[in-house]
Amino acid sequence: MPFVQRNAQGELIALFAEAQPQASEWLDAEAREVHNFVGGSGAAAGQGRGFGDLDSDFIRVLEDVIDALIDKNLLRLTDLPVEAQRKLLARKDLRQHLRSRLDLLPGDEVI
């Protein structure tokens, strides 16, 4: 793995575990192109964002959805598995810590 399919510009557009009529070229799974395609350290399929970037954005969306459900009393934090509770609370604590470090002006002062 993987056999790769390229577009007309030579960019990876698909990976396959087995050779395909349109994907007979084999690349080592550790090849930079493969890592970039799956989002290990770069763009996915030439779109400018890898899966890692998209996953981070999606995780933030899920956090916001969970917060909204909790705010509307449709979900309790304790309804979630303990490990999920721990991860959510750790992320909230880190965001709050970072937000407070960026608060350069105490109070509601306006310049």
Side-chain angles (χ1 to χ4, degrees):
M1 157 98 183
F3 288 89
V4 300
Q5 179 181 356
R6 297 181 182 272
N7 63 15
Q9 292 77 34
E11 300 167 324
L12 294 186
I13 59 170
L15 299 175
F16 298 91
E18 298 176 9
Q20 306 291 316
Q22 73 279 17
S24 59
E25 177 187 357
W26 180 87
L27 284 180
D28 187 278
E30 297 302 317
R32 178 181 294 280
E33 283 183 287
V34 173
H35 276 268
N36 288 348
F37 181 78
V38 297
S41 62
Q47 306 245 337
R49 297 192 60 182
F51 280 117
D53 294 335
L54 296 173
D55 286 349
S56 295
D57 291 347
F58 189 67
I59 288 167
R60 179 58 198 204
V61 169
L62 286 176
E63 287 180 75
D64 291 345
V65 168
I66 291 168
D67 287 344
L69 292 172
I70 290 171
D71 290 346
K72 293 180 183 234
N73 292 318
L74 297 172
L75 177 74
R76 293 179 303 216
L77 183 63
T78 55
D79 292 338
L80 300 172
V82 174
E83 191 62 22
Q85 293 176 39
R86 187 187 66 74
K87 289 177 182 178
L88 280 168
L89 292 173
R91 289 181 61 86
K92 281 183 180 292
D93 287 346
L94 179 59
R95 270 200 316 277
Q96 182 59 37
H97 176 73
L98 293 174
R99 189 175 300 127
S100 67
R101 294 187 82 201
L102 293 175
D103 188 12
L104 302 176
L105 297 175
D108 294 329
E109 296 177 26
V110 177
I111 296 178

